[in-house]
Structures are given as C-alpha cells and as structure tokens.
Amino acid sequence: MAHSMPRLFPRRTCQQFTSFTKFSSPLPRNFRPQFQSRGVGKRSYATGEKGPNPTPGQSPFKIWPFVAITLMGSGAYALMVRSRVDMAPPSQQLPAPKKDTPTFNPSKVTVLFVLGGPGAGKGTQCANLVRDYNFTHLSAGDLLRAEQEREGSEFGDLIKEYIRDGKIVPMEVTVQLLENAMQDVVSKTEGGKGKFLIDGFPRKMDQALKFEETVCPSKFVLFFDCPEEEMQRRLLERGKTSGRSDDNAESIKKRFKTFVETSMPVVDYFEGQGRVVKVVATKTPEGVYKETRGRLEERLGKNF
C-alpha cells in the first residue's frame, strides 16, 4: 500500500532555492542583466590621478627617476665635451716660457726702443745708426711681415689679417720673434754682447712690460715726433713703390688711430721715468739724423 512521503519542506521554502525565477510577464527586448561589482580594482588613467574623476594626460609612474637619469647623462656628456676641449689644439699664440730673469743681461746687451708714428722716418734713421755705430736694426714690422710670408708658418694668416686691419699683432708673437732674432745675433758675437735698435716696438704697454721682464730691459725710447699730416704725405708717396699692403689711405687712418690710442701711452710712460729721447722729425732726413746723433751722444757718450 503506498504511503505518501512526508513533506519535509514547505513549498515556499523550496521556491527560495530554485535557480530560476518565474517572471509574471515576458522579458523586455532591451533587458540587460545587472551584475554587482566584486572588488574590481579602480581603473588608472594616464594622468596618474586617482579617485572618481581622474584627469587624462599624465603618466601613472613617478617621473623623478627619469629626471635624475637625464641629469646624470647630461653631466657626463658635458664632462666628455670639456675633456675634448681641453685636448684641442692651442689657439694661435706663441707663448714664451715663464722666466724669473730676462734672457739678456743689460750690461752686455743694449736695447733702444725706436718709436714714432707711421711714416715718421724710423727706418731711415735706424739705417744711419747701423752704418755709423754698429747697431743691429730689428724692425718688429719687418719680422712680422717675414713671418707671415714664411712657408709653413702657423701664424702667417693671423699676422696678415692684423696688419691689413691696422691692428696690433698679439704680444706673444711679436716678443718671441724679437727674442729669437736677438738670440741669433748674440750667439755669434764674442762675449755674448750686442746693440739693438728695435724699431716700431713696443706699441702697447703690455708689450713694453713683457719685453723688459722676459727679454731685456731697454736703455730708453728714441722717439721721432712728426705731425700726422706730414706722415700721411710720406706714406702715400712711399706706397707708390713700396708694395706694402698697409700703405694705402684706409690702412693709414687706422694706423694713426692705433698709434695715438695705444703707442703714445707707452711714450708717456717712459717719459715719466726720464727714459725718452725726443727728436723732431719734420726736417730733411739729414737734418733729423744730425739731431739724432747729438741727442744720443748726450745720453750714451760719444763712443756708444
């Protein structure tokens, strides 16, 4: 006889565990099931901002490590460039070695600086003194012009540019050329003696001080004083046959300006020390030489 099974759970309880729920009406077409978020991490935007309203456009990573690396790389590159600059060839200069005493002893070597504006007649009077008193005439300008034409000279173009523009060639170049020329003469004389007329030098105070400090102290400056108008007339006349690139009107004006601004202070400096012999250079070459001899004999004696 069949017995009916006891109902262990009421129908309503069983309905709570059923997998599907009956809907009283058909599902709508646009139905989308809703799922509850279960601890999904918040989305990170390119800004690195956090929170409900992040701003796009920034990196989520910290940028300071990249800045530090960039700075370190830049510093290393700068050091590399500086080291290469330090190894670069030296500029166009001819530095003389540092000395505690001058190269030549003034008791054995006599140096007279010969100054005057361009066209004052320095070269003419120096030639007369060489003939009569056995001086060695060193023209700073001639040495520079010879150096610029010397094949293989590393200073040729530099000297040429300065002379063309009426500017003063760097001191190191001129002083070293003069010292080399003096050394050639003194090395061939008995007892290492010599007498030098250094024409057209020093043209600046630093040249004068450097030469007397490292090469040889001078006795005094032989200064040929001549007006600018007369010097210009002489230079233009000389330019017709001299072939010199600076014997033209434009270069002459620059040379006059340079002489007044840079060389006259040298004359004033030595005059303040009582070391200037001034000769008026407006006379004929013969008249100027007669005065020159008289003034030098007064200063150095008749047998200088």
Side-chain angles (χ1 to χ4, degrees):
M1 183 172 176
H3 297 279
S4 60
M5 295 293 294
R7 183 174 294 176
L8 299 178
F9 302 99
R11 182 182 300 270
R12 183 171 298 176
T13 302
C14 292
Q15 288 178 345
Q16 292 177 356
F17 289 92
T18 183
S19 300
F20 301 96
T21 304
K22 294 182 180 180
F23 293 88
S24 57
S25 61
L27 294 174
R29 292 181 178 272
N30 60 353
F31 170 78
R32 294 292 185 273
Q34 301 295 320
F35 298 94
Q36 183 178 359
S37 174
R38 296 186 178 182
V40 178
K42 295 182 179 179
R43 183 175 179 179
S44 296
Y45 289 83
T47 63
E49 299 283 349
K50 295 182 179 181
N53 298 310
T55 305
Q58 299 180 4
S59 171
F61 302 102
K62 298 287 186 180
I63 64 170
W64 66 264
F66 299 98
V67 173
I69 294 173
T70 302
L71 292 176
M72 291 174 63
S74 300
Y77 179 76
L79 289 174
M80 180 183 69
V81 171
R82 179 171 296 180
S83 65
R84 292 190 177 184
V85 170
D86 293 340
M87 294 186 295
S91 59
Q92 290 184 324
Q93 292 185 353
L94 194 64
K98 186 176 181 180
K99 305 173 185 176
D100 295 328
T101 58
T103 301
F104 304 104
N105 188 332
S107 65
K108 294 184 176 182
V109 174
T110 298
V111 172
L112 303 184
F113 293 144
V114 183
L115 290 177
K122 301 183 296 296
T124 300
Q125 300 308 319
C126 284
N128 292 332
L129 292 171
V130 169
R131 180 193 64 215
D132 295 338
Y133 296 97
N134 200 31
F135 275 97
T136 297
H137 176 212
L138 296 179
S139 167
D142 289 346
L143 289 173
L144 290 169
R145 281 184 285 272
E147 181 66 18
Q148 77 174 352
E149 299 299 335
R150 184 174 65 84
E151 185 177 357
S153 171
E154 61 178 314
F155 303 104
D157 292 339
L158 173 73
I159 295 171
K160 187 176 299 184
E161 178 184 348
Y162 273 76
I163 290 179
R164 183 183 64 246
D165 293 341
K167 298 187 295 185
I168 296 177
V169 175
M171 171 186 64
E172 293 83 359
V173 176
T174 309
V175 170
Q176 192 63 55
L177 290 176
L178 287 169
E179 181 178 345
N180 293 345
M182 292 174 64
Q183 189 68 58
D184 288 342
V185 174
V186 171
S187 64
K188 299 173 184 177
T189 60
E190 185 178 354
K193 294 183 178 181
K195 297 192 301 182
F196 297 93
L197 297 169
I198 301 185
D199 173 9
F201 181 92
R203 297 181 64 190
K204 291 178 65 178
M205 276 307 305
D206 60 349
Q207 291 182 347
L209 299 176
K210 186 68 172 179
F211 184 93
E212 294 202 319
E213 175 188 346
T214 63
V215 182
C216 185
S218 67
K219 294 291 185 184
F220 52 80
V221 172
L222 179 59
F223 176 54
F224 292 98
D225 192 11
C226 189
E228 184 174 318
E229 295 78 10
E230 176 62 18
M231 290 189 289
Q232 184 174 12
R233 184 192 66 79
R234 294 177 183 180
L235 290 173
L236 291 175
E237 184 65 26
R238 185 179 72 181
K240 296 177 182 179
T241 57
S242 68
R244 285 176 47 169
S245 61
D246 57 346
D247 278 348
N248 59 78
E250 183 178 356
S251 292
I252 288 171
K253 291 180 180 179
K254 294 178 181 178
R255 291 162 66 189
F256 284 154
K257 184 175 184 294
T258 299
F259 178 76
V260 171
E261 293 179 352
T262 63
S263 297
M264 281 307 299
V266 176
V267 177
D268 295 339
Y269 170 79
F270 281 97
E271 191 168 26
Q273 298 181 344
R275 297 169 64 194
V276 171
V277 171
K278 184 181 293 186
V279 177
V280 177
T282 55
K283 306 173 185 177
T284 64
E286 295 76 18
V288 173
Y289 183 54
K290 181 179 179 180
E291 182 179 348
T292 301
R293 290 183 62 176
R295 300 298 304 275
L296 292 182
E297 287 180 0
E298 290 175 5
R299 193 67 176 255
L300 298 175
K302 291 186 178 294
N303 299 319
F304 67 87

